[in-house]
Amino acid sequence: MSLRAPTPLQLLAIKALLLLLCLVPAGHLAAGWMHGTLGANPIEAVQHATGEWTLRMLLLTLAVTPLRRLSGLHWLLRLRRMLGLITFAWACGHLLTWAWLDLWLDWTAIAADILDRPYITVGFAAFALMLPLALTSSTAAVRWLGGRRWQALHRSVYGVAILGVVHYWWLVKADLLKPLLYALVLAALLGVRAWWREQERRRQLAAAAPPAPGRFKGKVIRIVPK
Amino acid sequence: TLPAAVRSSPYNSTEAHTDWASAISYNNFYEFGTSKDAPLRNAPQMALRPWRVRVEGLVNKPREFDIDDLLKLAALEERVYRLRCVEAWSMVIPWLGYPLASLLKAVEPQGSARYVEFVTHYDPAIMTRRPVLDWPYTEGLRLDEALHPLTLLTFGMYGEVLPHQNGAPVRVVVPWKYGFKSAKSIVTIRLSERQPATAWNKSAPQEYGFYSNVNPQVRHPRWSQASERRIGETRRRPTLMFNGYADEVAGLYLGMDLQKNY
């Protein structure tokens, strides 16, 4: 198979394989829950695992565009929707663990958590921002919104990622190593976009406005034949 | 092995003991890693003999105890206490030890002594070198808290010698305060006139006060302390004032604003 241009069938196989791979941690977690091997505090273990997998999948989703650009493998973009939806599924699992397993759907406690605990406020905000993205993930939704508006809406994924990392950062007691690693990966993923954007802006500026004659500020080198 | 212990203290909780497997695998002992299961894996590297405990500061008879002599200073008792972590989980543990007061009386605190500081073991060769907290971990109590009969100098649990990760070979257990106040693997006990600096208080003073009494009405800045999950149970249960020891200890704090002195 050609890595540059897989056939539709090959692409389908790649997607299926990736989906299976992404299901492994979920299966592992479910098996651990059923067999009681998640340690002394299984609810907390599920809470942490679903939260971390949401962040990991979100960062992987955000890595698609840079990876595509660096590798030139444009079909990578075709995996992004699936990765985004898997991220959303983990986020739903994370939210349900908190609201259902931890708080037993006690709505007063849930509301108090959202209002009182800053890390839950930002975590909940991140989830709320994800909702419209998941709802408009279909091709029909892209057509209905129009490419430009769809893209503008889906840029809020950057906000979701920042809120997600802040959510993790704020809940840790003393050892910030892990949230710091997630923050650094996110900074790299956002930083490379900002940098490319700046390069593009300069290129366009240079193309639109060629330097006026007489205002040349560079150093003139005379080449004098000997 | 430990000497035989008296097993009927009036302070004993009648609640079901947390299962041993949970009590030894779900621990906060940040020197050995910040995940709950890291201490079980890493703490056994800590050598428990020889072990000496210095008792110093404002006492008439400062002394360095060998751990095996310290163990025999007073009769061991079994104390079944609730343990409430500041992270809002709890356990019920049958500890083995004797009141810290027995040790403090043996060294004769001077009249000017008002606080007791605990300095714990720190060995960068086997413990984390990352400055997660200001090592060595230190904790402290007011002298009257330290002399309270509930405050236990602890050598064992569940009829056994303390496992490494639970604070071997000697720790304190202060059941009406959040778990981090009960310093593990102690090497120095120092009496002083001034309130000692404590590890969590230095790390985040707005979150962890010197007193850190279990108090459902004073929320941690980032989470509620009104309820807790008892390890082994799925539903949360309400947290009790002073972790259910209000009858015994509320008198220590008469006239104090517990919202301010959290």
Side-chain angles (χ1 to χ4, degrees):
Chain A
M1 112 180 203
S2 154
L3 193 64
R4 295 246 144 238
T7 63
L9 195 67
Q10 285 167 339
L11 196 65
L12 196 69
I14 292 172
K15 275 182 158 179
L17 204 70
L18 185 65
L19 181 64
L20 275 178
L21 203 68
C22 289
L23 286 177
V24 170
H28 187 72
L29 193 63
W33 177 265
M34 286 192 297
H35 294 130
T37 54
L38 294 179
N41 196 346
I43 294 176
E44 182 194 66
V46 173
Q47 246 163 3
H48 290 175
T50 51
E52 280 211 62
W53 277 108
T54 307
L55 267 182
R56 288 179 195 142
M57 291 309 301
L58 185 54
L59 294 178
L60 190 63
T61 311
L62 286 177
V64 168
T65 296
L67 281 178
R68 168 182 168 229
R69 182 156 169 175
L70 290 171
S71 67
L73 303 175
H74 296 292
W75 56 268
L76 286 176
L77 194 61
R78 310 275 297 271
L79 305 176
R80 193 171 62 181
R81 168 165 42 196
M82 194 178 80
L83 291 173
L85 286 173
I86 293 171
T87 308
F88 182 66
W90 277 113
C92 289
H94 190 51
L95 187 92
L96 275 179
T97 311
W98 160 70
W100 185 33
L101 280 184
D102 191 11
L103 298 177
W104 289 73
L105 302 179
D106 172 350
W107 301 108
T108 347
I110 290 171
D113 257 9
I114 295 172
L115 296 175
D116 270 6
R117 293 156 78 174
Y119 75 89
I120 291 190
T121 313
V122 295
F124 191 76
F127 182 81
L129 283 175
M130 271 178 129
L131 213 63
L133 306 190
L135 291 175
T136 58
S137 64
S138 69
T139 315
V142 182
R143 229 175 283 133
W144 176 65
L145 277 169
R148 202 170 265 276
R149 271 196 294 172
W150 184 90
Q151 200 172 23
L153 173 65
H154 280 246
R155 283 220 175 90
S156 62
V157 73
Y158 304 134
V160 172
I162 292 168
L163 290 173
V165 169
V166 170
H167 168 66
Y168 191 11
W169 193 284
W170 279 356
L171 72 86
V172 164
K173 260 168 73 198
D175 189 4
L176 287 169
L177 183 67
K178 272 167 88 178
L180 182 68
L181 289 177
Y182 285 106
L184 287 175
V185 173
L186 179 63
L189 291 172
L190 296 183
V192 74
R193 282 173 166 85
W195 193 66
W196 280 335
R197 217 182 161 149
E198 178 63 18
Q199 300 292 103
E200 180 61 27
R201 196 184 64 87
R202 284 189 189 178
R203 228 185 341 262
Q204 282 178 5
L205 223 59
R215 301 199 54 195
F216 183 67
K217 286 201 175 138
K219 192 175 174 185
V220 177
I221 304 166
R222 280 172 217 280
I223 301 166
V224 184
K226 286 188 180 167
Chain B
T1 55
L2 294 172
V6 180
R7 284 178 193 271
S8 58
S9 160
Y11 299 118
N12 279 354
S13 160
T14 53
E15 294 158 282
H17 302 175
T18 299
D19 66 295
W20 163 263
S22 295
I24 63 158
S25 64
Y26 191 78
N27 307 102
N28 280 328
F29 200 151
Y30 275 17
E31 288 89 329
F32 291 111
T34 50
S35 67
K36 292 284 184 294
D37 54 347
L40 169 67
R41 276 181 276 120
N42 302 330
Q45 293 174 52
M46 176 168 61
L48 303 182
R49 294 292 187 283
W51 191 283
R52 302 182 75 75
V53 179
R54 288 183 61 83
V55 189
E56 57 181 39
L58 301 175
V59 294
N60 290 330
K61 294 179 174 172
R63 210 180 129 182
E64 191 172 79
F65 290 88
D66 183 81
I67 186 69
D68 294 305
D69 298 331
L70 191 63
L71 191 59
K72 289 172 206 141
L73 192 77
L76 290 190
E77 294 175 43
E78 182 169 73
R79 295 281 183 93
V80 185
Y81 284 162
R82 288 175 289 276
L83 166 71
R84 169 61 157 78
C85 179
V86 73
E87 296 162 0
W89 54 266
S90 63
M91 295 185 180
V92 177
I93 309 237
W95 303 105
L96 290 167
Y98 55 75
L100 177 63
S102 303
L103 168 63
L104 294 177
K105 279 169 192 156
V107 295
E108 296 179 11
Q110 294 171 1
S112 54
R114 287 203 55 219
Y115 292 93
V116 182
E117 179 184 10
F118 305 95
V119 183
T120 70
H121 181 57
Y122 179 62
D123 179 358
I126 56 164
M127 291 168 164
T128 186
R129 291 171 203 215
R130 291 194 295 120
V132 178
L133 291 168
D134 187 7
W135 313 126
Y137 187 94
T138 54
E139 254 311 331
L141 296 171
R142 227 168 48 191
L143 184 60
D144 57 343
E145 297 174 326
L147 288 171
H148 193 280
L150 275 172
T151 303
L152 199 70
L153 192 67
T154 304
F155 302 86
M157 62 186 218
Y158 297 80
E160 308 276 340
V161 179
L162 274 180
H164 291 74
Q165 64 273 24
N166 296 86
V170 62
R171 65 175 297 171
V172 281
V173 174
V174 193
W176 72 93
K177 292 175 179 282
Y178 294 119
F180 67 89
K181 291 296 293 180
S182 296
K184 292 171 163 177
S185 305
I186 293 167
V187 292
T188 305
I189 298 174
R190 188 179 296 133
L191 282 80
S192 59
E193 197 174 344
R194 301 180 68 177
Q195 184 175 303
T198 59
W200 277 103
N201 183 246
K202 277 191 277 182
S203 160
Q206 68 288 357
E207 301 194 358
Y208 311 103
F210 176 79
Y211 287 95
S212 287
N213 293 317
V214 175
N215 188 339
Q217 284 138 39
V218 176
R219 65 191 304 275
H220 183 280
R222 290 184 282 144
W223 56 80
S224 160
Q225 294 290 23
S227 69
E228 65 201 50
R229 177 168 304 112
R230 180 68 51 83
I231 294 302
E233 296 178 355
T234 44
R235 296 203 77 147
R236 287 169 168 270
R237 52 165 72 213
T239 288
L240 304 174
M241 188 64 202
F242 295 114
N243 201 22
Y245 299 97
D247 287 348
E248 289 82 6
V249 301
L252 295 171
Y253 308 103
L254 284 179
M256 268 177 76
D257 181 348
L258 297 179
Q259 301 280 334
K260 269 190 203 142
N261 298 286
Y262 54 90

